[in-house]
mmCIF file of all heavy atoms in Angstrom:
data_model
loop_
_atom_site.group_PDB
_atom_site.id
_atom_site.type_symbol
_atom_site.label_atom_id
_atom_site.label_comp_id
_atom_site.label_asym_id
_atom_site.label_seq_id
_atom_site.Cartn_x
_atom_site.Cartn_y
_atom_site.Cartn_z
ATOM 1 N N GLN B 117 -38.493 30.869 23.924
ATOM 2 C CA GLN B 117 -39.106 32.110 23.692
ATOM 3 C C GLN B 117 -39.184 32.448 22.274
ATOM 4 O O GLN B 117 -38.378 31.938 21.410
ATOM 5 C CB GLN B 117 -38.314 33.209 24.443
ATOM 6 C CG GLN B 117 -36.870 33.489 23.892
ATOM 7 C CD GLN B 117 -35.897 32.682 24.595
ATOM 8 O OE1 GLN B 117 -35.955 31.407 24.524
ATOM 9 N NE2 GLN B 117 -35.034 33.220 25.381
ATOM 10 N N ARG B 118 -40.085 33.323 21.842
ATOM 11 C CA ARG B 118 -40.214 33.730 20.479
ATOM 12 C C ARG B 118 -39.158 34.757 20.064
ATOM 13 O O ARG B 118 -38.683 34.835 18.896
ATOM 14 C CB ARG B 118 -41.631 34.387 20.196
ATOM 15 C CG ARG B 118 -42.709 33.357 20.133
ATOM 16 C CD ARG B 118 -43.996 34.076 19.552
ATOM 17 N NE ARG B 118 -43.799 34.642 18.296
ATOM 18 C CZ ARG B 118 -44.316 35.720 17.837
ATOM 19 N NH1 ARG B 118 -44.977 36.558 18.669
ATOM 20 N NH2 ARG B 118 -43.987 36.179 16.636
ATOM 21 N N ARG B 119 -38.803 35.593 21.015
ATOM 22 C CA ARG B 119 -37.855 36.699 20.759
ATOM 23 C C ARG B 119 -36.405 36.098 20.997
ATOM 24 O O ARG B 119 -36.025 35.773 22.126
ATOM 25 C CB ARG B 119 -38.050 37.922 21.650
ATOM 26 C CG ARG B 119 -37.056 39.094 21.462
ATOM 27 C CD ARG B 119 -37.433 40.188 22.433
ATOM 28 N NE ARG B 119 -36.595 41.326 22.264
ATOM 29 C CZ ARG B 119 -35.431 41.557 22.791
ATOM 30 N NH1 ARG B 119 -34.940 40.669 23.624
ATOM 31 N NH2 ARG B 119 -34.692 42.592 22.613
ATOM 32 N N VAL B 120 -35.637 35.965 19.978
ATOM 33 C CA VAL B 120 -34.293 35.427 20.030
ATOM 34 C C VAL B 120 -33.327 36.509 19.696
ATOM 35 O O VAL B 120 -33.393 37.088 18.547
ATOM 36 C CB VAL B 120 -34.100 34.239 19.062
ATOM 37 C CG1 VAL B 120 -32.688 33.652 19.130
ATOM 38 C CG2 VAL B 120 -35.168 33.126 19.456
ATOM 39 N N THR B 121 -32.417 36.826 20.496
ATOM 40 C CA THR B 121 -31.381 37.876 20.217
ATOM 41 C C THR B 121 -30.119 37.316 19.745
ATOM 42 O O THR B 121 -29.719 36.180 19.912
ATOM 43 C CB THR B 121 -31.060 38.543 21.560
ATOM 44 O OG1 THR B 121 -30.647 37.630 22.607
ATOM 45 C CG2 THR B 121 -32.280 39.308 22.138
ATOM 46 N N TYR B 122 -29.433 38.071 18.844
ATOM 47 C CA TYR B 122 -28.124 37.732 18.339
ATOM 48 C C TYR B 122 -27.160 38.948 18.447
ATOM 49 O O TYR B 122 -27.518 40.064 18.465
ATOM 50 C CB TYR B 122 -28.218 37.219 16.935
ATOM 51 C CG TYR B 122 -28.532 38.218 15.917
ATOM 52 C CD1 TYR B 122 -27.618 38.872 15.153
ATOM 53 C CD2 TYR B 122 -29.864 38.489 15.545
ATOM 54 C CE1 TYR B 122 -27.860 39.754 14.179
ATOM 55 C CE2 TYR B 122 -30.184 39.407 14.550
ATOM 56 C CZ TYR B 122 -29.221 40.084 13.863
ATOM 57 O OH TYR B 122 -29.430 41.017 12.897
ATOM 58 N N GLN B 123 -25.856 38.573 18.491
ATOM 59 C CA GLN B 123 -24.787 39.599 18.651
ATOM 60 C C GLN B 123 -23.676 39.193 17.717
ATOM 61 O O GLN B 123 -23.234 38.069 17.702
ATOM 62 C CB GLN B 123 -24.397 39.650 20.049
ATOM 63 C CG GLN B 123 -23.233 40.530 20.370
ATOM 64 C CD GLN B 123 -22.863 40.467 21.873
ATOM 65 O OE1 GLN B 123 -23.480 39.675 22.550
ATOM 66 N NE2 GLN B 123 -21.876 41.184 22.265
ATOM 67 N N ILE B 124 -23.113 40.187 16.951
ATOM 68 C CA ILE B 124 -21.954 39.915 16.116
ATOM 69 C C ILE B 124 -20.726 40.403 16.859
ATOM 70 O O ILE B 124 -20.624 41.662 17.114
ATOM 71 C CB ILE B 124 -22.099 40.607 14.736
ATOM 72 C CG1 ILE B 124 -23.439 40.182 14.063
ATOM 73 C CG2 ILE B 124 -20.918 40.378 13.887
ATOM 74 C CD1 ILE B 124 -23.836 40.930 12.820
ATOM 75 N N LEU B 125 -19.878 39.545 17.192
ATOM 76 C CA LEU B 125 -18.750 39.832 18.128
ATOM 77 C C LEU B 125 -17.548 40.453 17.343
ATOM 78 O O LEU B 125 -16.785 41.323 17.886
ATOM 79 C CB LEU B 125 -18.255 38.635 18.879
ATOM 80 C CG LEU B 125 -19.274 37.954 19.850
ATOM 81 C CD1 LEU B 125 -18.600 36.745 20.514
ATOM 82 C CD2 LEU B 125 -19.843 38.987 20.861
ATOM 83 N N ASN B 126 -17.304 40.037 16.121
ATOM 84 C CA ASN B 126 -16.196 40.570 15.367
ATOM 85 C C ASN B 126 -16.528 40.364 13.843
ATOM 86 O O ASN B 126 -17.375 39.602 13.468
ATOM 87 C CB ASN B 126 -14.850 39.925 15.741
ATOM 88 C CG ASN B 126 -14.781 38.419 15.419
ATOM 89 O OD1 ASN B 126 -15.895 37.815 15.109
ATOM 90 N ND2 ASN B 126 -13.707 37.826 15.603
ATOM 91 N N ASP B 127 -15.727 41.073 13.106
ATOM 92 C CA ASP B 127 -15.839 41.026 11.612
ATOM 93 C C ASP B 127 -14.613 40.247 10.976
ATOM 94 O O ASP B 127 -13.629 39.989 11.708
ATOM 95 C CB ASP B 127 -15.901 42.418 10.983
ATOM 96 C CG ASP B 127 -17.186 43.091 11.337
ATOM 97 O OD1 ASP B 127 -18.263 42.464 11.515
ATOM 98 O OD2 ASP B 127 -17.142 44.351 11.523
ATOM 99 N N HIS B 128 -14.727 39.977 9.701
ATOM 100 C CA HIS B 128 -13.621 39.402 8.995
ATOM 101 C C HIS B 128 -12.748 40.550 8.450
ATOM 102 O O HIS B 128 -13.354 41.535 7.814
ATOM 103 C CB HIS B 128 -14.064 38.452 7.898
ATOM 104 C CG HIS B 128 -13.028 37.564 7.269
ATOM 105 N ND1 HIS B 128 -12.123 38.143 6.425
ATOM 106 C CD2 HIS B 128 -12.720 36.311 7.429
ATOM 107 C CE1 HIS B 128 -11.287 37.176 6.014
ATOM 108 N NE2 HIS B 128 -11.584 36.022 6.662
ATOM 109 N N GLU B 129 -11.464 40.422 8.572
ATOM 110 C CA GLU B 129 -10.568 41.576 8.106
ATOM 111 C C GLU B 129 -10.698 41.856 6.676
ATOM 112 O O GLU B 129 -10.379 43.014 6.213
ATOM 113 C CB GLU B 129 -9.175 41.336 8.598
ATOM 114 C CG GLU B 129 -8.501 40.096 7.924
ATOM 115 C CD GLU B 129 -8.488 38.889 8.893
ATOM 116 O OE1 GLU B 129 -9.481 38.816 9.619
ATOM 117 O OE2 GLU B 129 -7.609 38.050 8.676
ATOM 118 N N ASN B 130 -11.044 40.858 5.893
ATOM 119 C CA ASN B 130 -11.051 41.092 4.390
ATOM 120 C C ASN B 130 -12.479 41.274 3.831
ATOM 121 O O ASN B 130 -12.626 41.161 2.579
ATOM 122 C CB ASN B 130 -10.329 39.907 3.736
ATOM 123 C CG ASN B 130 -8.907 39.825 4.068
ATOM 124 O OD1 ASN B 130 -8.193 40.786 4.287
ATOM 125 N ND2 ASN B 130 -8.360 38.579 4.195
ATOM 126 N N VAL B 131 -13.403 41.422 4.682
ATOM 127 C CA VAL B 131 -14.855 41.519 4.288
ATOM 128 C C VAL B 131 -15.486 42.838 4.746
ATOM 129 O O VAL B 131 -15.194 43.237 5.886
ATOM 130 C CB VAL B 131 -15.654 40.346 4.773
ATOM 131 C CG1 VAL B 131 -17.164 40.481 4.327
ATOM 132 C CG2 VAL B 131 -15.145 39.031 4.232
ATOM 133 N N ASN B 132 -16.222 43.455 3.849
ATOM 134 C CA ASN B 132 -16.863 44.758 4.236
ATOM 135 C C ASN B 132 -17.795 44.425 5.423
ATOM 136 O O ASN B 132 -18.742 43.684 5.351
ATOM 137 C CB ASN B 132 -17.699 45.292 3.035
ATOM 138 C CG ASN B 132 -18.349 46.544 3.325
ATOM 139 O OD1 ASN B 132 -19.250 46.622 4.082
ATOM 140 N ND2 ASN B 132 -17.943 47.654 2.693
ATOM 141 N N GLY B 133 -17.525 45.119 6.532
ATOM 142 C CA GLY B 133 -18.408 44.877 7.758
ATOM 143 C C GLY B 133 -19.818 45.184 7.661
ATOM 144 O O GLY B 133 -20.615 44.400 8.087
ATOM 145 N N THR B 134 -20.106 46.295 6.999
ATOM 146 C CA THR B 134 -21.561 46.608 6.835
ATOM 147 C C THR B 134 -22.290 45.631 6.073
ATOM 148 O O THR B 134 -23.390 45.253 6.388
ATOM 149 C CB THR B 134 -21.618 48.058 6.133
ATOM 150 O OG1 THR B 134 -20.920 49.006 7.028
ATOM 151 C CG2 THR B 134 -23.070 48.489 6.002
ATOM 152 N N VAL B 135 -21.706 45.182 4.909
ATOM 153 C CA VAL B 135 -22.313 44.231 4.008
ATOM 154 C C VAL B 135 -22.443 42.964 4.753
ATOM 155 O O VAL B 135 -23.447 42.156 4.690
ATOM 156 C CB VAL B 135 -21.538 44.035 2.713
ATOM 157 C CG1 VAL B 135 -22.277 43.099 1.824
ATOM 158 C CG2 VAL B 135 -21.441 45.397 2.024
ATOM 159 N N LEU B 136 -21.442 42.449 5.500
ATOM 160 C CA LEU B 136 -21.464 41.248 6.236
ATOM 161 C C LEU B 136 -22.582 41.298 7.238
ATOM 162 O O LEU B 136 -23.391 40.304 7.389
ATOM 163 C CB LEU B 136 -20.145 41.065 6.948
ATOM 164 C CG LEU B 136 -19.995 39.724 7.742
ATOM 165 C CD1 LEU B 136 -18.563 39.191 7.574
ATOM 166 C CD2 LEU B 136 -20.276 39.979 9.193
ATOM 167 N N HIS B 137 -22.806 42.398 8.000
ATOM 168 C CA HIS B 137 -23.892 42.559 8.906
ATOM 169 C C HIS B 137 -25.225 42.408 8.252
ATOM 170 O O HIS B 137 -26.157 41.730 8.764
ATOM 171 C CB HIS B 137 -23.775 43.844 9.679
ATOM 172 C CG HIS B 137 -22.705 43.798 10.779
ATOM 173 N ND1 HIS B 137 -22.999 44.151 12.042
ATOM 174 C CD2 HIS B 137 -21.460 43.393 10.709
ATOM 175 C CE1 HIS B 137 -21.856 44.005 12.796
ATOM 176 N NE2 HIS B 137 -20.907 43.556 12.007
ATOM 177 N N HIS B 138 -25.349 43.025 7.052
ATOM 178 C CA HIS B 138 -26.611 42.919 6.318
ATOM 179 C C HIS B 138 -26.851 41.477 5.874
ATOM 180 O O HIS B 138 -27.988 41.000 5.871
ATOM 181 C CB HIS B 138 -26.512 43.826 5.096
ATOM 182 C CG HIS B 138 -26.709 45.231 5.379
ATOM 183 N ND1 HIS B 138 -26.252 46.310 4.507
ATOM 184 C CD2 HIS B 138 -27.246 45.876 6.496
ATOM 185 C CE1 HIS B 138 -26.524 47.437 5.017
ATOM 186 N NE2 HIS B 138 -27.072 47.235 6.256
ATOM 187 N N ASN B 139 -25.852 40.775 5.482
ATOM 188 C CA ASN B 139 -25.960 39.266 5.209
ATOM 189 C C ASN B 139 -26.527 38.561 6.352
ATOM 190 O O ASN B 139 -27.406 37.675 6.184
ATOM 191 C CB ASN B 139 -24.641 38.773 4.707
ATOM 192 C CG ASN B 139 -24.335 38.839 3.180
ATOM 193 O OD1 ASN B 139 -24.230 37.875 2.552
ATOM 194 N ND2 ASN B 139 -24.177 40.077 2.755
ATOM 195 N N ILE B 140 -25.991 38.730 7.493
ATOM 196 C CA ILE B 140 -26.501 38.014 8.668
ATOM 197 C C ILE B 140 -27.907 38.384 9.056
ATOM 198 O O ILE B 140 -28.742 37.546 9.261
ATOM 199 C CB ILE B 140 -25.502 38.376 9.915
ATOM 200 C CG1 ILE B 140 -24.101 37.724 9.639
ATOM 201 C CG2 ILE B 140 -26.123 37.803 11.207
ATOM 202 C CD1 ILE B 140 -23.081 38.137 10.695
ATOM 203 N N GLN B 141 -28.189 39.707 8.968
ATOM 204 C CA GLN B 141 -29.576 40.218 9.187
ATOM 205 C C GLN B 141 -30.560 39.516 8.308
ATOM 206 O O GLN B 141 -31.591 39.096 8.604
ATOM 207 C CB GLN B 141 -29.625 41.680 9.093
ATOM 208 C CG GLN B 141 -31.006 42.320 9.409
ATOM 209 C CD GLN B 141 -30.938 43.810 9.227
ATOM 210 O OE1 GLN B 141 -30.544 44.317 8.198
ATOM 211 N NE2 GLN B 141 -31.492 44.528 10.203
ATOM 212 N N ASN B 142 -30.211 39.468 6.949
ATOM 213 C CA ASN B 142 -31.124 38.886 5.960
ATOM 214 C C ASN B 142 -31.237 37.391 6.168
ATOM 215 O O ASN B 142 -32.327 36.891 5.836
ATOM 216 C CB ASN B 142 -30.549 39.238 4.589
ATOM 217 C CG ASN B 142 -30.622 40.660 4.217
ATOM 218 O OD1 ASN B 142 -31.487 41.441 4.791
ATOM 219 N ND2 ASN B 142 -29.863 41.215 3.252
ATOM 220 N N ALA B 143 -30.121 36.797 6.595
ATOM 221 C CA ALA B 143 -30.301 35.285 6.819
ATOM 222 C C ALA B 143 -31.214 35.019 8.007
ATOM 223 O O ALA B 143 -32.058 34.097 7.943
ATOM 224 C CB ALA B 143 -28.900 34.742 7.116
ATOM 225 N N PHE B 144 -31.122 35.814 9.051
ATOM 226 C CA PHE B 144 -32.140 35.650 10.119
ATOM 227 C C PHE B 144 -33.556 35.910 9.673
ATOM 228 O O PHE B 144 -34.496 35.233 9.973
ATOM 229 C CB PHE B 144 -31.836 36.593 11.318
ATOM 230 C CG PHE B 144 -30.783 35.993 12.293
ATOM 231 C CD1 PHE B 144 -29.510 36.472 12.355
ATOM 232 C CD2 PHE B 144 -31.214 35.013 13.151
ATOM 233 C CE1 PHE B 144 -28.515 35.937 13.235
ATOM 234 C CE2 PHE B 144 -30.262 34.476 14.030
ATOM 235 C CZ PHE B 144 -28.947 34.961 14.080
ATOM 236 N N SER B 145 -33.707 36.958 8.799
ATOM 237 C CA SER B 145 -35.045 37.299 8.292
ATOM 238 C C SER B 145 -35.588 36.251 7.474
ATOM 239 O O SER B 145 -36.796 35.991 7.465
ATOM 240 C CB SER B 145 -34.904 38.670 7.456
ATOM 241 O OG SER B 145 -34.503 39.674 8.279
ATOM 242 N N ALA B 146 -34.773 35.447 6.704
ATOM 243 C CA ALA B 146 -35.254 34.377 5.869
ATOM 244 C C ALA B 146 -35.898 33.298 6.801
ATOM 245 O O ALA B 146 -36.989 32.651 6.402
ATOM 246 C CB ALA B 146 -34.140 33.807 5.111
ATOM 247 N N TRP B 147 -35.327 33.031 7.952
ATOM 248 C CA TRP B 147 -35.918 32.066 8.786
ATOM 249 C C TRP B 147 -37.173 32.626 9.488
ATOM 250 O O TRP B 147 -38.177 31.910 9.685
ATOM 251 C CB TRP B 147 -34.875 31.609 9.868
ATOM 252 C CG TRP B 147 -33.833 30.646 9.348
ATOM 253 C CD1 TRP B 147 -32.445 30.990 9.103
ATOM 254 C CD2 TRP B 147 -33.970 29.266 8.936
ATOM 255 N NE1 TRP B 147 -31.858 29.894 8.618
ATOM 256 C CE2 TRP B 147 -32.700 28.829 8.506
ATOM 257 C CE3 TRP B 147 -35.016 28.364 8.995
ATOM 258 C CZ2 TRP B 147 -32.525 27.524 8.129
ATOM 259 C CZ3 TRP B 147 -34.852 27.085 8.561
ATOM 260 C CH2 TRP B 147 -33.590 26.599 8.167
ATOM 261 N N ALA B 148 -37.077 33.942 9.943
ATOM 262 C CA ALA B 148 -38.213 34.512 10.645
ATOM 263 C C ALA B 148 -39.452 34.561 9.758
ATOM 264 O O ALA B 148 -40.535 34.417 10.272
ATOM 265 C CB ALA B 148 -37.868 35.933 11.048
ATOM 266 N N GLU B 149 -39.307 34.700 8.424
ATOM 267 C CA GLU B 149 -40.421 34.689 7.557
ATOM 268 C C GLU B 149 -41.201 33.341 7.531
ATOM 269 O O GLU B 149 -42.337 33.348 7.135
ATOM 270 C CB GLU B 149 -40.011 34.991 6.085
ATOM 271 C CG GLU B 149 -39.522 36.453 5.935
ATOM 272 C CD GLU B 149 -38.983 36.766 4.517
ATOM 273 O OE1 GLU B 149 -38.930 35.781 3.706
ATOM 274 O OE2 GLU B 149 -38.550 37.848 4.284
ATOM 275 N N LYS B 150 -40.535 32.277 7.968
ATOM 276 C CA LYS B 150 -41.136 30.995 7.807
ATOM 277 C C LYS B 150 -41.490 30.335 9.098
ATOM 278 O O LYS B 150 -42.035 29.173 9.097
ATOM 279 C CB LYS B 150 -40.093 30.014 7.052
ATOM 280 C CG LYS B 150 -39.716 30.531 5.690
ATOM 281 C CD LYS B 150 -40.974 30.656 4.713
ATOM 282 C CE LYS B 150 -40.465 31.179 3.358
ATOM 283 N NZ LYS B 150 -41.670 31.399 2.438
ATOM 284 N N CYS B 151 -41.175 30.941 10.281
ATOM 285 C CA CYS B 151 -41.510 30.365 11.519
ATOM 286 C C CYS B 151 -41.915 31.372 12.523
ATOM 287 O O CYS B 151 -41.873 32.564 12.366
ATOM 288 C CB CYS B 151 -40.376 29.536 12.015
ATOM 289 S SG CYS B 151 -38.959 30.493 12.673
ATOM 290 N N ASN B 152 -42.451 30.959 13.740
ATOM 291 C CA ASN B 152 -42.965 31.713 14.659
ATOM 292 C C ASN B 152 -41.885 32.278 15.672
ATOM 293 O O ASN B 152 -41.939 32.083 16.932
ATOM 294 C CB ASN B 152 -44.084 30.967 15.499
ATOM 295 C CG ASN B 152 -44.920 31.829 16.397
ATOM 296 O OD1 ASN B 152 -45.084 33.063 16.072
ATOM 297 N ND2 ASN B 152 -45.414 31.330 17.437
#
Side-chain angles (χ1 to χ4, degrees):
Q117 65 271 66
R118 286 191 60 220
R119 180 182 185 271
V120 177
T121 57
Y122 70 93
Q123 176 184 1
I124 303 170
L125 299 181
N126 62 352
D127 292 328
H128 192 283
E129 63 264 30
N130 296 326
V131 177
N132 181 294
T134 300
V135 180
L136 183 142
H137 283 231
H138 284 160
N139 270 246
I140 292 173
Q141 182 183 51
N142 290 338
F144 274 108
S145 295
W147 287 106
E149 288 175 1
K150 302 301 181 182
C151 71
N152 193 27

